[in-house]
Amino acid sequence: MLNIKEESFKIKEDIIKVRREIHANPELGFEEWETARLVADYLRSLGLEVEEGIAKTGVVGFLEGKNRDKVIAIRADMDALPIKEQNECEYKSQTEGKMHACGHDSHTAMVLGVAKLLTKFKDQLEGSVKFIFQPNEEQTEMPGGADTMIEEGVLEDPKVEAILGIHVNPQLEVGTVGIKEGPIMAATDKFKITIKGEGGHGAAPHETIDAIIIAADIVQNLQSIVSRRISPVEPTVLTIGKLCGGESYNVIADEVEIEGTVRTVNPEVRDKVPLLMEQTIDGVTDIFGGDYTFDYQFGHSVLENDKKLTALITQVSKEIIGEDNTVILKNPLMAGEDFASYAKEIPGFFLHLGVSNPDRKVYPWHHPKFNLDEEALPIGMAILAESAMEYLKK
Ligand SMILES: [Zn+2]
Ligand SMILES: [Zn+2]
C-alpha cells in the first residue's frame, strides 16, 4: 500500500523545482498571471478540473474522489512583495524590486505537490478536494485575494465543508510544525489620523496651532491605550509606522499625518480600540484648539483554528513527524493572514511549517534575505495530504 510520507519525499525534487521557478519569477498581488498559468498547467497535467480567472488571477483545481459533494479545500497564496531580494542563489528573483519574501512561492508549490500526491491516492479518497490558489494575500487595500475569491464563489458549487492552509514559519526549525487551537493569527486593522492646526512663524508659536505638538502628544497618549486601558492579558499592538508633517525648520506646521496599525485577538477589544483612540485624539486636539480627521479601517479578522480540525491535524502530524516535532504553540502571532476570511465562513485550520535551519542565519518574513529550508516542503505536503484524506473518511 502507498504511504503518503514516502510518496511525498519521492516528489520532493519536483516540488523544489516548482518552488524555485516561482521564486525566480515573483509577481505582486492581483498580477500573478504567470504563476497562475504555471499552477493551471500543473493541475491540468494531473488531470484535475481547472478553473482560472477567479478574482483576476486565482485558480481552482478540483480532484473528484468517491463523493463529489463531500469537499475539503486546501488553499495556497501566490503573491510576492515589493522588496528587492538580497539573497544570492541560482533561483534569485529575476524581477527587480519584487520578491517572494513571505514564502508564498513554497505554499503554491506545496499545494501543487498535495494535488499530485492525492491524485495518486484518488482511489482512497472518500470525498473530493478543491485546491484554491488565491492572489493578493499581502493586500494593502481591502478587499484582497481571499475575500474576492469567496465573493466569486470558491467555497460553493460544490460546497466546501472545511479548509486547510499552510504558512512557512522561520521561527520554527525544519522538521517541526506549529499547531494551535483557536486564535493563531491576529486581526489587523489600519488607521490614518490627520491633525489640522494653523501654521505660522517659528518665532511666534502663540499665534499658531502647532500640529506637530498635537501629533507628538497623540503619539504618546495612544501608547497608553494598550498599557492602561486594555487588559494586560488581552494581546494588543498599536504601532505608528508613519508620521509626516512640516515643511521647514522655522515654520510651524499646519498639518501632520499619522498612520499605523492595530493588532488584536479578542473581537471585543478590536471594537473598543478605535473608540478609545478617537477619545484620545479628540481630547488632545481639543486642548490645543486644533482639529482632526480619523480614518480607521478594519482589515483581516482574527484567524481561528477549528477545534476538531486542530485535533485531527495534531494526530496526523504526530504520526508523520512524531510527537516531539509537533510543537503546540502557546500564543497567536500578531501578524495577520487573509486565510481568516475562509475560516470565518467554514471550519478552517492553518498550519505553521518550520523552515529554519540551525546551521544558517534565519531572516524573518518580509526581509530581503528571507529564505527557507526546502527540506520542509515534503513534510508540509504529507501532513496536508494525509489530513485531507483523514477528514474525508469521517
Ligand atoms: Zn507576508
Ligand atoms: Zn504570508
Side-chain angles (χ1 to χ4, degrees), residues 64-332:
E64 187 169 343
K66 289 180 191 166
N67 181 350
R68 197 178 164 89
D69 295 318
K70 184 170 177 66
V71 181
I72 187 167
I74 304 176
R75 168 275 203 178
D77 39 12
M78 303 186 290
D79 55 321
L81 286 152
I83 294 174
K84 186 173 167 7
E85 176 155 19
Q86 286 176 17
N87 287 313
E88 287 308 330
C89 52
E90 77 213 41
Y91 53 94
K92 181 182 176 170
S93 167
Q94 286 167 22
T95 313
E96 177 89 6
K98 294 179 192 172
M99 175 190 176
H100 271 290
C102 201
H104 299 184
D105 50 347
S106 66
H107 306 159
T108 299
M110 275 189 282
V111 176
L112 288 173
V114 176
K116 185 165 191 169
L117 279 175
L118 290 178
T119 303
K120 281 193 188 169
F121 286 80
K122 201 174 155 184
D123 298 346
Q124 296 171 46
L125 270 185
E126 298 297 331
S128 302
V129 187
K130 213 182 246 192
F131 298 94
I132 297 176
F133 296 85
Q134 72 158 78
N136 202 22
E137 193 282 325
E138 306 273 8
Q139 80 272 40
T140 49
E141 297 295 334
M142 298 292 277
D147 288 320
T148 315
M149 293 288 279
I150 294 168
E151 182 125 340
E152 295 191 16
V154 282
L155 298 180
E156 306 296 327
D157 192 31
K159 209 168 175 54
V160 178
E161 262 180 31
I163 186 161
L164 307 178
I166 191 164
H167 209 296
V168 292
N169 185 333
Q171 295 161 353
L172 294 168
E173 248 180 59
V174 63
T176 70
V177 295
I179 288 180
K180 186 181 177 300
E181 184 189 310
I184 174 101
M185 307 287 285
T188 60
D189 303 330
K190 69 173 183 176
F191 61 84
K192 181 174 178 178
I193 305 161
T194 307
I195 311 296
K196 292 177 173 161
E198 246 179 75
H201 199 289
H206 58 293
E207 291 169 1
T208 70
I209 298 171
D210 187 344
I212 284 183
I213 291 292
I214 301 174
D217 271 13
I218 285 175
V219 170
Q220 291 294 334
N221 283 294
L222 286 179
Q223 295 309 308
S224 58
I225 289 176
V226 176
S227 69
R228 300 290 97 171
R229 300 187 76 188
I230 300 291
S231 162
V233 294
E234 294 287 0
T236 310
V237 179
L238 193 163
T239 289
I240 290 164
K242 193 174 169 190
L243 184 67
C244 299
E247 299 289 342
S248 172
Y249 81 99
N250 58 358
V251 175
I252 285 175
D254 64 344
E255 194 171 292
V256 174
E257 284 181 359
I258 303 170
E259 289 181 52
T261 179
V262 173
R263 309 294 168 101
T264 51
V265 172
N266 179 339
E268 283 172 31
V269 173
R270 186 187 196 191
D271 287 340
K272 202 167 151 187
V273 170
L275 303 177
L276 295 175
M277 288 180 71
E278 179 130 31
Q279 264 183 14
T280 300
I281 299 161
D282 190 66
V284 173
T285 318
D286 191 48
I287 293 172
F288 294 96
D291 208 350
Y292 69 90
T293 58
F294 178 44
D295 176 36
Y296 194 94
Q297 284 177 30
F298 289 99
H300 303 314
S301 308
V302 61
L303 166 50
E304 300 252 5
N305 275 340
D306 175 75
K307 191 173 173 180
K308 281 188 191 156
L309 286 176
T310 307
L312 172 80
I313 282 102
T314 308
Q315 186 58 36
V316 167
S317 171
K318 285 177 181 175
E319 279 163 24
I320 290 180
I321 54 174
E323 188 153 359
D324 289 350
N325 293 321
T326 303
V327 181
I328 307 301
L329 302 173
K330 284 196 194 75
N331 300 311

Side-chain angles (χ1 to χ4, degrees), residues 22-44:
I22 299 171
H23 188 90
N25 299 289
E27 297 172 295
L28 300 182
F30 287 140
E31 297 170 5
E32 306 91 336
W33 301 106
E34 292 306 317
T35 312
R37 191 195 322 226
L38 179 153
V39 166
D41 287 349
Y42 196 97
L43 295 172
R44 263 189 220 106

